[in-house]
Amino acid sequence: MQPNLGTMATQLFKYLDADGGLSMLKCGNLQFTNASKFNDPFDCHPALFDFSNAPTNERNWPPKDFLTMKGQSDMENLRNETWICSLSKVYDSLLMWAYYTSHKGICIGLNKEALEKSCSDRYLGMIYPYFQDVKYLDIHNKQDYFHESYAEDYLLTTKAKEWEHEQEVRIIAKEPAWWDGGMDVPKDLKKEKMIDGREIRYYPRISNECFESIYLGVNMFEKKRNDIIEVARKRNPNIQIYQMTLDPDAFRLKAELIEL
């Protein structure tokens, strides 16, 4: 049985390898990564803007050079002070299953309404985390920084057209603080005496109601499959668990409900 497509708009999806998915289910949390630490070097980069058209003010004050440098600095600081959790609108992307899970991992379906409430309830910062769809454009279409009404959103939610298949939705938090959120740094940096604060990843907890569905990869190992099903049922007894299968009539994946 395929999932009810009428419910898809209420869910967002996280692709993970089997161990990462098992950890997320056991801990009941989300991972937020600094906006400067994504795999795509163009992501959230100030180079998305053209800073050359600073306005000319009376008696050149503030000077145009100052305004240009300030604009670049403001966007760089925004990038460094922002942490993001990346999710998707789709659970059956062949490409995302391949490069995030090797078809051996899982995709976790999260209830968007419950997720919004959890992130807001547990956040201690001045501005609650907010959800934004990513926009996919050609990078050469630079925006004029001084005539861009929503420069902040443009910086944090614009990606190259090549990533459009991800249909990404971002949860965005500035200088995050969660009353029950964990944090860590990549294993290869833990022995370093000085660590760039942007390397810290935050793990705020979310409510059990957020976990609405699980999709198991086509090539998942049986032991991992059983472990994930057991942990998922403990997290939310009403969770819907699907096995991804190959559609014999097309290059696509099908989700079959597991009756337990």
Side-chain angles (χ1 to χ4, degrees):
M1 178 190 297
Q2 289 275 54
N4 183 349
L5 295 179
T7 67
M8 288 298 99
T10 68
Q11 289 190 72
L12 296 173
F13 302 95
K14 185 69 175 178
Y15 291 81
L16 296 156
D17 61 34
D19 290 337
L22 197 56
S23 177
M24 180 175 170
L25 289 167
K26 284 181 177 179
C27 298
N29 60 17
L30 288 175
Q31 177 179 305
F32 280 73
T33 302
N34 185 266
S36 67
K37 299 299 177 181
F38 288 134
N39 292 334
D40 178 5
F42 293 104
D43 209 336
C44 301
H45 201 287
L48 289 167
F49 293 101
D50 177 3
F51 296 95
S52 65
N53 296 314
T56 301
N57 300 309
E58 186 178 358
R59 299 181 181 177
N60 194 31
W61 188 261
K64 290 187 66 174
D65 289 348
F66 169 81
L67 294 175
T68 296
M69 289 187 293
K70 183 180 183 302
Q72 293 172 330
S73 178
D74 285 349
M75 290 298 96
E76 191 67 42
N77 289 338
L78 174 62
R79 187 190 196 200
N80 293 336
E81 294 169 356
T82 300
W83 272 255
I84 292 172
C85 175
S86 297
L87 303 170
S88 174
K89 294 180 181 179
V90 295
Y91 65 89
D92 56 357
S93 166
L94 273 173
L95 288 176
M96 294 181 74
W97 272 106
Y99 57 65
Y100 285 123
T101 82
S102 299
H103 291 277
K104 297 175 182 177
I106 70 173
C107 179
I108 300 178
L110 299 164
N111 182 283
K112 186 173 183 289
E113 184 177 351
L115 196 57
E116 289 176 330
K117 186 175 188 306
S118 283
C119 288
S120 295
D121 286 350
R122 290 172 165 83
Y123 191 69
L124 293 177
M126 296 296 291
I127 301 174
Y128 286 140
Y130 60 96
F131 289 63
Q132 284 282 81
D133 290 0
V134 169
K135 302 176 289 292
Y136 300 96
L137 303 171
D138 293 325
I139 196 167
H140 66 268
N141 294 328
K142 289 191 175 186
Q143 296 294 299
D144 182 343
Y145 173 77
F146 296 99
H147 295 87
E148 171 58 55
S149 300
Y150 302 98
E152 178 178 313
D153 286 346
Y154 191 86
L155 180 79
L156 299 177
T157 62
T158 302
K159 295 184 70 172
K161 202 78 169 175
E162 284 79 359
W163 297 100
E164 192 168 22
H165 62 275
E166 292 194 337
Q167 296 189 43
E168 185 180 349
V169 177
R170 293 183 161 178
I171 311 176
I172 299 170
K174 299 175 188 176
E175 299 182 343
W178 282 279
W179 65 266
D180 63 351
M183 61 179 69
D184 73 2
V185 295
K187 291 180 180 179
D188 58 340
L189 296 177
K190 287 188 176 180
K191 293 183 179 180
E192 297 291 331
K193 293 182 179 179
M194 297 290 290
I195 297 175
D196 185 344
R198 294 174 299 169
E199 297 288 355
I200 294 173
R201 299 172 298 200
Y202 289 87
Y203 294 87
R205 296 185 63 186
I206 55 178
S207 66
N208 292 343
E209 291 75 20
C210 293
F211 295 88
E212 192 163 310
S213 59
I214 299 288
Y215 300 81
L216 307 174
V218 170
N219 297 326
M220 177 174 280
F221 296 119
E222 188 67 20
K223 176 65 167 60
K224 292 289 186 184
R225 181 178 185 273
N226 294 336
D227 289 345
I228 286 172
I229 291 175
E230 180 182 356
V231 172
R233 288 294 185 191
K234 289 180 180 178
R235 177 59 59 189
N236 182 358
N238 297 316
I239 198 167
Q240 297 290 297
I241 301 178
Y242 298 87
Q243 177 63 58
M244 300 305 289
T245 62
L246 302 182
D247 188 330
D249 300 317
F251 289 115
R252 64 188 176 199
L253 299 171
K254 295 173 63 178
E256 297 293 339
L257 181 65
I258 297 175
E259 302 285 356
L260 297 175

